[in-house]
Amino acid sequence: MTQIGSETPTGHGVIQAYLKSLDGSPGVYRMLNAASEVLYVGKARSLRNRVSNYARPSGHSGRIARMISETASMMFLTTRTETEALLLEQNLIKQLKPRYNVLLRDDKSFPNILIPTDHPFPMLKKHRGKRSEAGHYFGPFASAGAVNRTLNQLQRVFLLRNCSDAMFAGRSRPCLQFQIKRCAGPCVGKISEADYANLVADSKRFLEGKTTAVQANLAAEMAKASDELEFERAAALRDRIKALTQVQSVQGINPASVFEADVVALHLENGQACVQVFFIRANQSWGNRDFYPRTPADAEEPEILEAFLTQFYDDKEPPRLLLLSHAVDNADLVTQALSDRAGRKVEIAVPQRGEKAELVENAARNARESLARKMSESATQNKLLAGLAEAFDLDGPPKRIEVFDNSHIQGSNAVGGMIVAGADGFLKSQYRKFTIKSAAGANSDDFGMMKEVLTRRFERLLKEDPERKTDMWPDLLLIDGGAGQVSAVESILSELGVDDIAMIGVAKGVDRDHGKEEFHRTGQRPFALRMNDPVLYFVQRLRDEAHRWAIGAHRAKRAKAVSATPLDDIPGVGAARKRALLAHFGSAKAVSRAAIPDLMAVGGISEALAQKISDFFNAKG
């Protein structure tokens, strides 16, 4: 047993003391250090047996031995089954982020294609998040780019609309999409509801992998049109068949023997891991994504892959088949947990030959190459961070850099943006947008906007992590501006009691030329870096990324404001009812003139809500 200071015992003896109160129940245990920080979260079929293993003074790997030596207390939670323990374990790992666990980072939701069922002429659209809208979902796709490419293909082949319901209802003549043969023109009656439904059915069959049947139907329709001397229609069908053939020709890598699966391959090198996931649905490859889980030293492939699978599918529906590059230790347990989550059978396999093995090898090769690129980029990034510390006389290379910028047009739609960078490059999952709520935005007061953004950012940090135990605290701030901005930021942080974070102001310089930036630090004269200094390029990249992020947020806010209508201000009229009203009446102005019986004719509008809508517009005059 070891001692922390002279008061808090840690080690095997502390763990041994818990054995008296434990039985053979399954459950989850947490190991904590003297500061009550969670070191490790684990599951067990028998809590007593698992804890007794930790109580042994020898026979542990280096990582486990260090963890045991730091353990000052433990917490336990029993479950009915080991499967429940596994699910609870992964939830706690994602929530608590213990140092000695494998942790999946940057886990985002994946986009899908949605064909809604609440409109006679449904649109094609991209969907991300919870599947709460009624319709047919197809996915997941690896990225927004993969979805956009597929949507583009579907428009060329099946001519489905991609406009909003409000735009659809307000059209009086065909749009450009109809002119370039990307839409059938249902908004102006260029196609009947029955014929459009056939297009929707064909697109669904295509997304389900039944491309041969779709092509045969199109060929039969073309032949029929030609026999009936409808040569214009036959030519249009010919163009659609040609587009479908082109789509199929670029899908030559799609597997013939795998209908639905995720291919998951891991490459581990020098303590760093990369996991590649390829998504296969309806015998089509819908893209791939790479992940870089945080792995403790001496963690091995089975442990890493098991942790990845359980965390990755914590909020996603797993496919029917998972093809893995390595076996996992508790395959039966993981299979049961994923099957329970999906509500159907999920199979895990490690193929050794055939097409499935080729798919896994391809994913493993991608994982190996991605990790090599990542390690090379990390080495370069570490050199830049070290150069940054030397150039600006910092205590050491910064681990987390936060860069702030504002964007507005004469005070309208003002937003603040924050980007984050570190040893792994830009950490885009931690970017933040701030809608300016104070009068500073309306007054075009850049100092006031910066004060609001920084105050909100650091007040939240002080509330959530006052002891600075997490890695969410920056050790360097980059501010777009000169001495005045630096002085203002210093004053803001001093008021908040956060006066120990280094900050650098980046000003354009005398001629406002790119490459002649001046740098400002508190109590120092402005200075510049050499024109060809890599650190200068690095700072420019950081500042430009913050500028891009803030401008993007501003444009999105401005676009939303342009599409706003008075209906947004009526209590009880949400997005769905707003769409229904606009689709029925064509415009908010027409809604304002409608009588209560006419409003009630719209689906979802009760008499009470119709009265409320009428009163709202009458009150406005």
Side-chain angles (χ1 to χ4, degrees):
M1 182 182 298
T2 59
Q3 298 282 336
I4 300 295
S6 58
E7 301 176 357
T8 308
T10 61
H12 307 91
V14 170
I15 297 172
Q16 180 76 36
Y18 286 99
L19 290 174
K20 299 176 183 178
S21 59
L22 295 176
D23 57 20
S25 301
V28 174
Y29 58 93
R30 280 174 272 183
M31 307 176 81
L32 295 81
N33 65 10
S36 297
E37 298 170 337
V38 179
L39 299 171
Y40 184 79
V41 174
K43 66 178 181 307
R45 180 179 302 172
S46 166
L47 285 172
R48 180 176 177 81
N49 292 344
R50 179 59 55 85
V51 173
S52 66
N53 289 337
Y54 289 122
R56 290 188 287 107
S58 61
H60 304 290
S61 67
R63 171 169 62 108
I64 301 301
R66 287 192 301 274
M67 181 179 73
I68 291 172
S69 69
E70 297 178 33
T71 300
S73 62
M74 296 186 71
M75 298 176 64
F76 303 93
L77 182 62
T78 59
T79 58
R80 291 179 300 171
T81 65
E82 191 181 3
T83 302
E84 288 184 6
L86 174 64
L87 298 176
L88 178 58
E89 174 200 32
Q90 298 308 324
N91 286 336
L92 289 174
I93 289 172
K94 294 179 74 171
Q95 175 186 344
L96 301 173
K97 300 178 173 59
R99 190 189 341 152
Y100 287 100
N101 281 101
V102 175
L103 178 64
L104 175 59
R105 299 179 290 189
D106 299 331
D107 181 21
K108 296 181 179 179
S109 63
F110 292 88
N112 293 266
I113 286 178
L114 169 61
I115 303 178
T117 55
D118 58 355
H119 196 283
F121 297 97
M123 64 180 294
L124 274 173
K125 63 180 179 179
K126 180 169 54 181
H127 177 86
R128 191 190 291 269
K130 188 177 180 181
R131 298 185 175 188
S132 56
E133 189 173 346
H136 303 283
Y137 292 86
F138 301 91
F141 288 80
S143 64
V147 171
N148 292 336
R149 286 191 295 273
T150 303
L151 288 174
N152 185 49
Q153 294 167 356
L154 290 171
Q155 280 185 267
R156 289 170 55 205
V157 178
F158 302 109
L159 310 181
L160 300 186
R161 69 181 181 95
N162 64 352
C163 58
S164 67
D165 291 347
M167 183 177 292
F168 176 89
R171 296 298 305 183
S172 59
R173 57 182 180 178
C175 67
L176 179 62
Q177 293 293 314
F178 176 80
Q179 304 295 339
I180 63 174
K181 300 180 181 179
R182 295 282 181 100
C183 178
C187 55
V188 290
K190 296 293 184 180
I191 185 173
S192 68
E193 184 174 337
D195 288 340
Y196 192 88
N198 290 333
L199 295 179
V200 172
D202 280 344
S203 68
K204 288 166 58 180
R205 280 195 288 268
F206 172 82
L207 289 168
E208 291 167 354
K210 302 172 183 175
T211 55
T212 304
V214 172
Q215 191 161 9
N217 290 341
L218 291 175
E221 287 185 43
M222 184 180 69
K224 180 182 178 182
S226 180
D227 292 341
E228 296 174 355
L229 304 182
E230 297 180 5
F231 298 117
E232 187 174 349
R233 181 166 176 265
L237 288 165
R238 179 202 61 201
D239 293 340
R240 290 173 58 195
I241 292 172
K242 183 179 178 181
L244 181 58
T245 303
Q246 291 174 344
V247 170
Q248 291 170 325
S249 68
V250 301
Q251 291 181 341
I253 61 169
N254 294 336
S257 61
V258 180
F259 180 78
E260 176 186 325
D262 284 352
V263 184
V264 185
L266 165 68
H267 183 70
L268 182 63
E269 184 176 340
N270 296 328
Q272 297 189 53
C274 175
V275 179
Q276 279 277 346
V277 182
F278 280 72
F279 303 99
I280 297 173
R281 299 294 184 274
N283 297 105
Q284 302 175 57
S285 176
W286 284 356
N288 65 295
R289 281 278 298 274
D290 51 355
F291 299 87
Y292 302 91
R294 188 193 71 189
T295 55
D298 72 16
E300 297 182 351
E301 286 90 346
E303 177 187 359
I304 297 171
L305 206 51
E306 178 183 323
F308 176 85
L309 293 176
T310 49
Q311 292 178 41
F312 183 73
Y313 294 109
D314 178 56
D315 55 358
K316 303 176 185 66
E317 182 177 334
R320 299 180 186 277
L321 175 63
L322 293 174
L323 299 176
L324 308 183
S325 60
H326 299 80
V328 295
D329 289 335
N330 302 288
D332 293 341
L333 181 62
V334 174
T335 300
Q336 184 62 51
L338 296 181
S339 298
D340 289 349
R341 180 168 292 145
R344 51 172 168 72
K345 184 179 179 181
V346 174
E347 181 185 353
I348 292 179
V350 184
Q352 302 299 317
R353 61 181 66 87
E355 187 179 36
K356 293 178 181 178
E358 292 175 4
L359 290 171
V360 172
E361 175 55 34
N362 179 54
R365 183 177 65 255
N366 277 270
R368 183 169 59 252
E369 294 171 354
S370 295
L371 184 60
R373 287 192 296 270
K374 181 78 171 179
M375 293 171 70
S376 176
E377 292 168 1
S378 295
T380 302
Q381 188 78 357
N382 287 331
K383 288 181 181 178
L384 289 172
L385 293 173
L388 188 69
E390 182 179 355
F392 296 110
D393 194 27
L394 305 177
D395 293 336
K399 297 179 181 178
R400 181 185 175 95
I401 304 171
E402 293 186 355
V403 191
F404 294 87
D405 195 10
N406 300 322
S407 183
H408 61 95
I409 296 178
Q410 296 181 343
S412 65
N413 301 311
V415 296
M418 179 192 84
I419 69 150
V420 183
D424 293 328
F426 291 116
L427 308 178
K428 295 190 177 183
S429 64
Q430 299 181 30
Y431 287 15
R432 295 293 180 267
K433 302 171 185 176
F434 301 86
T435 297
I436 303 299
K437 302 176 181 178
S438 65
N443 297 329
S444 301
D445 179 5
D446 285 328
F447 285 99
M449 284 187 263
M450 184 60 70
K451 180 175 182 179
E452 179 180 342
V453 169
L454 289 170
T455 299
R456 286 164 59 183
R457 166 63 179 154
F458 284 96
E459 280 185 345
R460 180 167 182 170
L461 271 178
L462 288 167
K463 179 181 178 180
E464 295 180 350
D465 185 23
E467 302 298 326
R468 305 192 187 186
K469 294 180 179 180
T470 69
D471 56 1
M472 300 303 291
W473 279 85
D475 40 19
L476 175 64
L477 302 182
L478 281 185
I479 309 298
D480 188 14
Q485 281 84 352
V486 170
S487 177
V489 171
E490 183 183 29
S491 175
I492 295 167
L493 296 183
S494 180
E495 290 178 12
L496 295 170
V498 184
D499 52 5
D500 57 345
I501 298 176
M503 72 183 75
I504 301 170
V506 186
K508 290 284 188 181
V510 177
D511 299 324
R512 304 188 64 79
D513 286 341
H514 201 70
K516 294 185 178 180
E517 285 83 357
E518 288 185 346
F519 300 98
H520 298 261
R521 290 202 65 188
T522 304
Q524 298 183 14
R525 293 173 59 86
F527 62 96
L529 297 175
R530 300 189 321 272
M531 287 285 290
N532 60 348
D533 193 329
V535 173
L536 175 61
Y537 297 143
F538 180 48
V539 174
Q540 289 172 347
R541 281 175 54 215
L542 292 172
R543 184 196 57 195
D544 292 346
E545 175 70 358
H547 193 54
R548 179 199 66 80
W549 177 248
I551 286 178
H554 165 71
R555 287 175 176 166
K557 183 176 174 63
R558 191 174 66 202
K560 186 176 181 181
V562 168
S563 64
T565 74
L567 298 175
D568 297 323
D569 299 325
I570 304 176
V573 177
R577 286 173 174 152
K578 174 184 171 182
R579 286 196 301 269
L581 287 166
L582 291 174
H584 186 85
F585 292 101
S587 68
K589 189 172 184 179
V591 175
S592 70
R593 295 173 176 172
I596 290 178
D598 296 329
L599 292 171
M600 292 172 60
V602 179
I605 305 298
S606 64
E607 182 177 359
L609 183 55
Q611 184 67 54
K612 186 182 294 185
I613 294 170
S614 179
D615 293 344
F616 174 84
F617 285 111
N618 289 334
K620 294 186 69 174

